Amino acid sequence: MKITLLAGGVGGARFTRGLLHLLAERYPDGEGGTTAEVTVVANTGDDMWLHGVRVCPDLDTVMYTLGGAIHEGQGWGRQDESSRVSADLAAYDLGWEWFTLGDLDLATHLARTELLRAGKTLTEVTAHLCRRWKPGVTLLPMSDQPVETHVVVGEGTPEDPERLIHFEEWWVRHRAGIPARRFEQVGVDSASATPEVLEAIMTADLVLLPPSNPVVSVGTILGVPRIREALNATPAPVVGISPIVGGAAVRGMADACLTAIGVETSALAVGVHYGAREGLDGDDLVEGDGQTEATAGRLGVIDGWLVDDSDHEAVSGLEAAGIRSRAVPLLMTDDAATAEIATAALDLAGFR
Ligand code: GDP
Ligand code: CA
């Protein structure tokens, strides 16, 4: 059994941890693990350089969560962490006072930066870091080239000119409180999906979209050339889990991201936004101006979409849009509850 997930940070990591619990029961390897092969393709749109080191928030959240090192209360960063270095850097008026890098976490960024500077790809570097944390999955960055999400803010008036800020500045410093006019994937034009990512999607038995942010986590991954096409073309069923429950993001500010791209914050609207896979053939893909359905973002990527019990009324609308759907409890309160969600996702994909 080969399962590939496209994930952001906290939502993606927590779901994957519950999935691994289920797989250990269903496909046991006799040593407490699973024979199932799980690959997590992580968003790297939140990555940045800070204090001269490369920071990859979503890769690290997945690695720490699955490796048992995560700060559970926070959802990101290391447990038993301190921030002496960040505090001392602030005394030099350097860095972003609203973005703390923990002392232990800094070691990860230093290690990553050293390996990158030695010429390794981010895929190779991530594999190196995972040798320590043993997340039980193959963890892959969506691309080896930097693709950084920036947010266009400002009214475009002299008093409030339009300007581009890094996603983390909008998300962490402003708590997504200033309206985003649009998102830009800086670097995407010269970036490509890695062969490892495309292979993981094309050779999977099942592809899952965990309840990650549909715009700045999964949406960013889908924006990398050829990933949307691969998702549309894979012989594996593709099933997603709604990150929107009862018309709201369970945690975080996904609603602000959805508003910016003109999608309603509802389980139905997000499922329809991903769109049903239709198995278009190559000729259907090329439009008049040479743009493909995929680059235009209209190529559907899912077969199934799980919604929360409280959103059961969305099921008929999703089915009418060609998307198989079921309503089950979608709150990831603990690993057991999350494993139940994973069971429902496998079920919807036809794996019983
Ligand atoms: P980030 O990169 O750390 O923001 O994490 P992700 O993009 O992977 O996940 C963030 C999304 O997870 C948010 O938009 C939430 O709506 C969603 N989420 C968080 N907790 C839960 C939960 O318990 N259930 C569901 N269905 N979604 C959740
Ligand atoms: Ca993220």
Side-chain angles (χ1 to χ4, degrees):
M1 181 68 165
K2 286 178 73 170
I3 302 180
T4 297
L5 301 99
L6 309 191
V10 180
R14 290 203 172 155
F15 178 79
T16 306
R17 194 168 61 183
L19 172 70
L20 288 173
H21 275 258
L22 166 69
L23 296 174
E25 275 176 25
R26 208 178 274 195
Y27 309 97
D29 67 358
E31 292 164 18
T34 176
T35 57
E37 291 171 40
V38 179
T39 302
V40 176
V41 176
N43 168 45
T44 53
D46 306 359
D47 295 7
M48 64 199 157
W49 289 99
L50 194 59
H51 303 302
V53 294
R54 190 66 177 162
V55 182
C56 301
D58 288 359
L59 279 171
D60 288 350
T61 296
V62 174
M63 182 173 77
Y64 292 154
T65 301
L66 301 181
I70 198 77
H71 187 301
E72 288 290 344
Q74 237 167 222
W76 51 271
R78 296 273 301 271
Q79 61 197 2
D80 305 322
E81 183 61 292
S82 51
S83 53
R84 296 187 65 197
V85 177
S86 263
D88 215 56
L89 282 163
Y92 291 106
D93 289 328
L94 285 178
W96 298 337
E97 75 280 0
W98 42 269
F99 200 92
T100 304
L101 295 179
D103 297 334
L104 296 174
D105 194 30
L106 258 169
T108 303
H109 309 316
L110 286 167
R112 173 186 293 119
T113 305
E114 174 174 345
L115 294 166
L116 285 172
R117 293 189 64 160
K120 294 199 186 301
T121 65
L122 185 59
T123 300
E124 292 167 339
V125 172
T126 304
H128 184 114
L129 300 179
C130 284
R131 285 210 289 275
R132 171 177 178 195
W133 295 110
K134 301 182 177 48
V137 302
T138 302
L139 180 58
L140 299 174
M142 64 188 193
S143 174
D144 279 332
Q145 289 87 33
V147 177
E148 291 187 6
T149 305
H150 281 60
V151 189
V152 181
V153 298
E155 288 292 332
T157 59
E159 303 79 52
D160 188 17
E162 202 173 87
R163 57 203 188 276
L164 205 58
I165 59 177
H166 191 282
F167 171 73
E168 294 291 353
E169 181 170 357
W170 181 69
W171 189 253
V172 180
R173 182 182 195 180
H174 299 292
R175 307 290 304 157
I178 17 180
R181 297 170 69 87
R182 58 183 186 278
F183 297 98
E184 281 189 15
Q185 289 183 273
V186 176
V188 75
D189 293 339
S190 49
S192 54
T194 64
E196 290 87 348
V197 166
L198 296 176
E199 194 192 320
I201 295 172
M202 294 308 293
T203 64
D205 296 305
L206 170 63
V207 177
L208 293 174
L209 305 186
S212 284
N213 188 308
V215 184
V216 295
S217 290
V218 180
T220 306
I221 301 175
L222 292 175
V224 177
R226 296 183 59 200
I227 293 192
R228 186 179 280 275
E229 287 94 330
L231 226 57
N232 190 263
T234 179
V238 183
V239 166
I241 295 98
S242 178
I244 303 301
V245 169
V250 183
R251 42 182 9 243
M253 292 84 66
D255 51 335
C257 304
L258 286 164
T259 303
I261 64 160
V263 174
E264 189 188 82
T265 302
S266 74
L268 172 63
V270 173
V272 169
H273 168 68
Y274 279 132
R277 296 205 303 165
E278 287 158 26
L280 299 173
D281 64 39
D283 290 345
D284 294 329
L285 298 182
V286 184
E287 310 227 304
D289 57 1
Q291 236 200 353
T292 64
E293 291 262 354
T295 55
R298 286 195 295 273
L299 200 58
V301 294
I302 55 173
D303 301 303
W305 186 240
L306 279 183
V307 302
D308 185 71
D309 267 341
S310 63
D311 295 312
H312 64 92
E313 282 174 359
V315 170
S316 56
L318 288 157
E319 298 266 349
I323 299 165
R324 235 177 302 147
S325 180
R326 254 187 75 196
V328 297
L330 285 192
L331 289 184
M332 300 189 285
T333 40
D334 55 29
D335 284 339
T338 310
E340 286 295 316
I341 302 173
T343 305
L346 263 66
D347 225 57
L348 196 62
F351 295 96
R352 297 217 157 73

